[in-house]
């Protein structure tokens, strides 16, 4: 009984203990379920694995299934398996076991975190390991997503930053770093304001913050400054990020550098205002800038000067060497012009070889002269183009505000008139506008009108100037020189009207008449038995360009019975240079007709004898400017002597013009000059006077 009592008491005690144990196990299970934390025990001696209910749940295995270590390994995907196994083997040797790895549950991947300790028996021998396993799949997913977002942020080509609510930068991606030139360290903690340039209007920022506050999003254009100082436009998109409680926690901004697009737009705007070839202001922008400069000048009562610049001989260079060379020359001229003036002055190309410079503030008129002089010198320097040395020069006309005009149009007109005078004065010089120039311009217009009438009314006559053989003084030819018998002005010399005739094209009619009349006169002298004369006739550029020139000359020669060498045509160097291939062909055709060809005014142009030698010419006419000072100016003497020597070596005959005295005659004769022409032997006079003198009869009239 007593024994039974004892048993009964023990039974009750056991029951109580079992209940307590059960309760404790239930609680543990509950706690494990809440924490998603399972536990396990691996008996290494028997390779038996015991899992808690939560562990079965985590591994998706029906509870109670008997397991061993390999069953655990089998549930780890191959890519993690070796790593976990190695960690466990290391743990068995004493290393801590704390590992995150994947497991496969019904074809799905889960992440677990495991920790374990080793268990030893009382004798200190290893029994196994006890550990925990926690399902961390959700945390891993969140981490992965975060990593992904971070890498998107990092790798994005679009520059992006994140700021905290106080607008302090907390992250900046590499694209942002590249765009701004600031390192992350320099950016973090800063207000993005450090990137602002003064170029963005304050109003834009105000609107930006207002819109962000109201709508949580703003986009627009901002001008920022890179670390290197460069200012650039960017397209910005900024969002505010709010907490669940509605308070702004961050701002995120993404930015696109739009300088390239802007540059393209800018280029289009630039082209509209600039000359594409030289980059100078074009006519359109020149006019508005001149207006602007005039307004300032008016307000501040200062002078400004307009310099109208025209390149001498540009057309020749363009025609002979081709447009690419011409273009390069113009570019170089533009560069030199800009180098001659201040940045505040205007340099423009109005087209062709016409340039304008506006000196936006001069104190004295002489300031304009100084700049004009500097420009002339600069433009006259050699141009190195395609390995060739070229020379050009310019003529400049200057108009000054307010004396020569108070608005753009009148000022330009004054400068243009002055330019015309500069060209007339022999080029490579500058002229100021004077009212006398206006009078001259008006006179020119009248002359032009009257010249047209003169062509119709045949108001021209020819005077002839004798040419003699230098060695013997024997009369050998005459040069026909045209005059205009003006009803009121009397006899007008060719210098006064030939240039106008050239420009207006009237020269073709006048020249044709001159040729006809000169040939007729020579025929008449022949029939009268007067000497063995050669007739020299001046040919203008336009005449040489006319397609019917050769046919006309052929017909005249035939009609008036002229022979080989009876007719000599004089052309100037620039005419010969103008259209070389066409000109050369035409000259050859004339030569084939037995016509002699002469280069007139030799020494005043720019061409070399070597070049002229390519032309079928027989005669050089040494310009009278060299003959004039031949005895007094050693330079002129040297040029004349050298030209003579060169001409001789090329087999050309030399005629000296403007011989007025015996000393000149003797000098030229002694240097081997062939023919002389000048007042010393006779001034140009009408045919009748010569007929009378040569046939021994008294002069009629
Ligand atoms: P050019 O062909 O060189 O003619 C020579 C000029 O020098 C002539 O002037 C003549 O009068 C002048 N002269 C001759 N000897 C002397 C002298 O000893 N001293 C000085 N001081 N001058 C002298 P002109 O007649 O006034 O002719 C001027 C220019 O007009 C000519 O220069 C020629 O280029 C052009 N010209 C004349 N007639 C014609 C023509 O029928 N057609 C064309 N296209 N041009 C012509
Ligand atoms: Mg002549
Ligand atoms: Mg001459």
């Amino acid at each position: 009984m007593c024994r039974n009592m004892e048993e009964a008491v023990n039974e009750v005690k056991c029951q109580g203990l079992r209940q307590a144990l059960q309760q404790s196990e239930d609680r543990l299970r509950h706690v494990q379920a809440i924490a998603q934390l399972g536990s396990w025990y691996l008996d290494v001696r028997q390779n038996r694995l015991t899992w808690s209910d939560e562990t079965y749940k985590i591994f998706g295995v029906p509870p109670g299934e008997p397991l061993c270590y390999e069953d655990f390994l089998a549930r780890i995907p191959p890519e993690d398996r070796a790593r976990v196994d190695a960690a466990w083997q290391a743990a068995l040797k004493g290393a801590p076991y704390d590992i995150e790895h994947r497991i496969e549950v019904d074809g799905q991947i889960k992440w677990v975190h495991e920790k374990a300790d080793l268990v030893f028996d009382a004798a200190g021998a290893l029994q196994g390991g006890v550990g925990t396993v926690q399902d961390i799949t959700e945390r891993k997913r969140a981490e992965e997503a975060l990593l992904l977002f971070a890498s998107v942020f990092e790798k994005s080509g679009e520059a992006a930053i994140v700021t905290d609510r106080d607008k302090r930068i907390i992250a900046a991606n590499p694209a942002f770093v590249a765009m701004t030139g600031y390192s992350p360290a320099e950016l973090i903690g800063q207000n993005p304001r450090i990137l602002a340039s003064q170029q963005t209007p304050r109003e834009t920022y105000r609107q930006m913050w207002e819109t962000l506050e109201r709508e949580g999003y703003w986009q627009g254009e901002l001008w920022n400054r890179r670390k290197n100082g460069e200012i650039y436009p960017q397209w910005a998109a900024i969002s505010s990020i709010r907490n669940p409680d509605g308070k702004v926690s961050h701002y995120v901004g993404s930015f696109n550098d739009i300088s390239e697009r802007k540059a393209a737009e800018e280029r289009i705007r630039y082209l509209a205002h600039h000359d594409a070839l030289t980059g100078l202001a074009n006519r359109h922008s020149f006019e508005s800038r001149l207006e602007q400069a005039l307004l300032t000048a008016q307000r501040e009562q200062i002078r400004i000067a307009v310099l109208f610049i025209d390149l001498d001989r540009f057309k020749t260079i363009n025609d002979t060497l081709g447009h690419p060379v011409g273009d390069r020359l113009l570019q170089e001229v533009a560069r030199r012009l800009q180098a001659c003036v201040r940045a505040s002055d205007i340099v423009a190309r109005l087209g062709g070889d016409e340039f304008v410079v506006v000196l936006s503030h001069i104190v004295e008129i002489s300031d304009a002269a100084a700049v004009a002089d500097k420009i002339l010198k600069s433009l006259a320097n050699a141009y190195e183009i395609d390995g060739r040395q070229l020379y050009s020069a310019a003529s400049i006309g200057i108009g000054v505000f307010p004396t020569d005009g108070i608005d753009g149009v009148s000022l330009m007109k004054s400068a243009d008139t002055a330019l015309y005078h500069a060209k007339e004065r022999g080029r490579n010089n500058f002229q100021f506008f004077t009212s006398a120039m206006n009078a001259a311009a008006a006179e020119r217009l009248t002359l032009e009108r009257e010249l047209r009438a003169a062509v119709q009314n045949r108001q021209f006559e020819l005077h002839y100037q004798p040419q003699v053989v230098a060695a013997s003084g024997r009369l050998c030819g005459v040069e026909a020189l045209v005059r205009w018998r003006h009803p009121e002005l009397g006899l007008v010399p060719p210098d006064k009207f030939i240039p106008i005739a050239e420009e207006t094209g009237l020269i073709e009619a006048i020249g044709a008449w001159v040729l006809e009349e000169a040939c007729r006169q020579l025929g008449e002298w022949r029939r009268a038995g007067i000497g063995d004369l050669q007739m020299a006739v001046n040919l203008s550029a336009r005449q040489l360009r006319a397609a019917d020139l050769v046919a006309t000359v052929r017909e005249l020669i035939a009609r008036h019975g002229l022979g080989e060498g009876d007719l000599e045509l004089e052309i100037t160097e620039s005419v010969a240079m103008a259209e070389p291939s066409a000109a050369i062909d035409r000259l050859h055709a004339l030569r084939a007709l037995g016509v002699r060809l002469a280069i007139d005014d030799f020494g005043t142009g720019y061409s070399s004898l070597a070049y002229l030698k390519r032309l079928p010419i027989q005669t050089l006419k040494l310009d009278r400017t060299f003959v004039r000072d031949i005895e007094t100016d050693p330079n002129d003497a040297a040029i004349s002597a050298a030209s003579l020597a060169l001409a001789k070596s090329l087999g050309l005959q030399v005629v000296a013009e403007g011989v007025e005295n015996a000393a000149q005659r003797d000098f030229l004769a002694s240097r081997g000059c062939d023919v002389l022409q000048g007042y010393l032997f006779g001034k140009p006079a009408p045919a009748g006077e010569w007929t009378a003198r040569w046939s021994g009869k008294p002069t009629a009239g």
Side-chain angles (χ1 to χ4, degrees):
M1 172 69 212
C2 187
R3 184 160 182 82
N4 278 346
M5 263 303 278
E6 209 174 300
E7 275 177 4
V9 168
N10 274 344
E11 179 63 18
V12 169
K13 272 189 184 162
C14 270
Q15 219 168 343
L17 276 174
R18 261 204 302 276
Q19 254 173 2
L21 187 63
Q22 185 63 46
Q23 255 178 4
S24 153
E25 273 184 0
D26 283 351
R27 244 177 250 139
L28 186 63
R29 203 178 293 125
H30 192 167
V31 167
Q32 288 199 357
I34 289 174
Q36 291 180 313
L37 182 77
S39 62
W40 52 267
Y41 175 70
L42 176 63
D43 179 340
V44 291
R45 287 188 282 216
Q46 296 174 41
N47 189 15
R48 215 172 54 220
L49 186 58
T50 316
W51 280 356
S52 73
D53 287 358
E54 186 59 22
T55 306
Y56 276 109
K57 212 169 118 197
I58 289 173
F59 278 84
V61 177
E65 198 167 296
L67 298 158
C68 64
Y69 176 64
E70 284 70 28
D71 293 325
F72 160 69
L73 278 187
R75 283 175 167 76
I76 300 177
E79 53 269 36
D80 282 0
R81 198 175 293 149
R83 181 168 63 91
V84 175
D85 188 30
W88 178 242
Q89 301 309 329
L92 291 178
K93 296 197 176 89
Y97 184 74
D98 185 339
I99 189 170
E100 287 183 0
H101 63 87
R102 280 165 284 197
I103 56 173
E104 203 180 317
V105 178
D106 300 331
Q108 303 271 26
I109 295 294
K110 274 184 169 179
W111 276 92
V112 292
H113 179 202
E114 283 195 281
K115 281 181 163 186
D117 274 340
L118 297 181
V119 179
F120 301 90
D121 61 15
L126 177 66
Q127 273 186 325
V130 62
T132 57
V133 54
Q134 185 173 24
D135 185 343
I136 55 165
T137 308
E138 253 169 47
R139 196 194 87 208
K140 274 285 182 192
R141 292 235 166 93
E143 273 175 19
E144 266 173 9
L146 261 180
L147 264 176
L148 188 67
F149 290 145
S151 112
V152 168
F153 179 76
E154 282 296 299
K155 304 232 168 70
S156 167
E158 200 161 272
I161 51 170
V162 181
T163 73
D164 62 15
R165 80 170 73 108
D166 299 322
K167 296 156 197 166
R168 276 188 302 252
I169 298 174
I170 55 172
N173 72 356
F176 191 86
V177 167
M179 184 168 93
T180 60
Y182 287 101
S183 71
E186 288 168 313
L187 291 166
I188 304 297
Q190 296 291 338
N191 188 304
R193 202 186 298 136
I194 61 156
L195 302 162
S197 73
Q198 300 311 312
Q199 216 121 315
T200 312
R202 280 178 167 277
E203 177 60 15
T204 308
Y205 288 119
R206 203 192 54 72
Q207 272 177 8
M208 175 178 99
W209 289 116
E210 195 188 279
T211 314
L212 267 176
E213 184 58 36
R214 200 179 53 239
E215 290 163 28
Y217 181 74
W218 175 88
Q219 59 173 341
E221 192 179 303
L222 295 177
W223 286 79
N224 274 4
R225 189 192 298 276
R226 297 188 224 277
K227 192 181 177 188
N228 65 12
E230 195 187 334
I231 291 177
Y232 65 101
Q234 57 178 2
W235 188 253
I238 301 174
S239 310
S240 54
I241 298 186
R242 285 170 197 274
N243 280 336
D245 62 4
K247 292 226 173 71
V248 172
S249 65
H250 297 91
Y251 293 99
V252 178
S254 74
F255 309 90
N256 264 314
D257 189 338
I258 51 173
S259 12
E260 267 176 40
R261 199 185 77 204
K262 281 269 164 187
E265 285 171 12
E266 190 51 41
R267 175 100 192 116
I268 291 168
R269 237 198 322 274
Y270 177 87
L271 285 177
H273 290 92
H274 292 80
D275 168 47
L277 179 66
T278 61
L280 297 180
N282 61 14
R283 182 182 290 276
H284 168 74
S285 77
F286 167 73
E287 281 167 3
S288 61
R289 287 182 66 186
L290 176 59
E291 286 310 318
Q292 210 49 47
L294 284 169
L295 282 178
T296 311
Q298 234 147 21
R299 197 173 52 234
E300 293 173 14
Q301 304 220 313
I302 52 174
R303 286 180 172 136
I304 68 178
V306 174
L307 279 62
F308 219 125
I309 303 162
D310 188 270
L311 298 186
D312 301 340
R313 289 186 68 235
F314 176 71
K315 192 180 171 338
T316 311
I317 289 174
N318 222 16
D319 289 349
T320 49
L321 302 174
H323 289 261
V325 173
D327 284 355
R328 300 271 302 281
L329 182 83
L330 292 174
Q331 287 168 335
E332 177 59 17
V333 165
R335 207 190 54 71
R336 292 185 190 184
L337 285 178
Q338 276 175 312
C340 285
V341 301
R342 288 182 296 212
S344 54
D345 296 331
I346 308 167
V347 183
R349 176 172 171 239
L350 302 188
D353 59 345
E354 266 185 18
F355 293 86
V356 203
V357 165
V358 176
L359 306 176
S360 52
H361 186 178
I362 55 165
V363 180
E364 296 297 333
I365 304 278
S366 58
D367 295 346
V371 175
D373 192 51
K374 190 171 159 196
I375 290 176
L376 285 181
K377 290 207 172 89
S378 168
L379 296 187
N381 284 331
Y383 295 80
E384 182 90 29
I385 293 173
D386 286 349
R388 244 199 218 99
Q389 282 224 330
L390 294 180
Y391 289 88
S392 179
S395 306
I396 302 179
I398 308 172
V400 175
F401 168 88
T403 29
D404 305 336
I406 52 163
D407 58 82
V409 174
S410 61
L411 209 47
M412 290 291 284
K413 202 162 156 248
S414 299
D416 193 22
T417 306
L419 173 64
Y420 176 79
H421 281 264
K423 286 198 211 165
E424 265 197 340
R425 295 278 299 253
R427 302 172 181 270
N428 198 18
N429 75 108
F430 63 86
Q431 293 292 317
F432 278 95
F433 176 79
T434 63
S435 47
M437 287 181 181
N438 252 352
E443 185 195 350
R444 199 193 109 95
L445 274 180
T446 314
L447 266 186
E448 190 180 315
R449 204 179 49 243
E450 290 174 346
L451 192 59
R452 285 181 197 282
V455 170
Q456 286 193 326
N457 304 333
R458 302 191 170 262
Q459 290 169 355
F460 300 101
E461 49 192 71
L462 286 185
H463 285 196
Y464 299 90
Q465 186 175 34
Q467 298 177 331
V468 303
V469 176
S472 62
R474 180 181 63 82
L475 176 71
C476 60
V478 292
E479 177 176 2
L481 295 159
V482 70
R483 273 97 183 88
W484 174 11
R485 178 71 63 186
H486 189 281
E488 289 130 41
L489 301 173
L491 212 55
V492 181
D495 292 338
K496 277 260 181 294
F497 68 89
I498 294 280
I500 302 177
E502 284 264 5
E503 276 172 42
T504 52
L506 290 168
I507 191 70
E508 285 183 39
I510 299 172
W513 177 82
V514 169
L515 258 178
E516 162 91 52
E517 176 59 15
C519 291
R520 191 200 60 73
Q521 184 61 51
L522 186 61
E524 193 182 304
W525 276 330
R526 281 283 154 78
R527 284 191 296 282
I530 291 175
D532 184 14
L533 291 182
Q534 188 185 62
M535 175 65 73
V537 176
N538 295 285
L539 210 59
S540 84
R542 281 233 189 193
Q543 281 175 283
L544 189 64
R545 244 181 279 147
D548 60 356
L549 175 71
V550 180
T552 307
V553 172
R554 183 188 293 119
E555 193 270 331
L556 284 172
I557 288 174
R559 180 139 51 92
H560 299 290
L562 306 185
E564 164 81 37
D566 281 351
L567 183 64
E568 183 167 77
L569 295 179
E570 300 183 359
I571 55 173
T572 58
E573 289 169 55
S574 52
V575 170
M577 292 277 290
E579 270 173 292
S581 66
I584 292 175
D585 289 351
R586 212 150 282 159
L587 293 176
H588 276 290
L590 288 170
R591 185 72 200 112
L593 294 177
V595 174
R596 290 175 61 90
L597 299 167
I599 294 293
D600 204 356
D601 305 343
F602 180 72
T604 58
Y606 302 85
S607 46
S608 67
L609 261 182
Y611 173 78
L612 291 175
K613 187 57 194 139
R614 290 164 48 204
L615 306 176
I617 53 166
Q618 291 72 52
T619 305
L620 280 189
K621 295 194 76 178
L622 191 60
D623 193 68
R624 68 168 184 272
T625 50
F626 295 106
V627 174
R628 191 176 56 210
D629 301 322
I630 218 163
E631 323 128 273
T632 50
D633 186 335
N635 268 340
D636 283 353
I639 289 173
S640 305
S643 299
L644 277 164
L646 256 170
K648 288 282 127 191
S649 74
L650 292 172
L652 297 173
Q653 167 186 269
V654 178
V655 179
E657 296 182 306
V659 182
E660 293 184 351
N661 57 48
Q664 292 165 339
R665 176 195 63 195
D666 296 344
F667 178 94
L668 290 159
S670 71
R671 294 296 191 287
C673 184
D674 304 283
V675 175
L676 306 175
Q677 177 183 346
Y679 294 170
L680 182 65
F681 313 101
K683 290 194 172 184
E689 284 184 27
W690 295 118
T691 313
R693 198 181 298 179
W694 293 330
S695 53
K697 294 175 207 156
T699 310

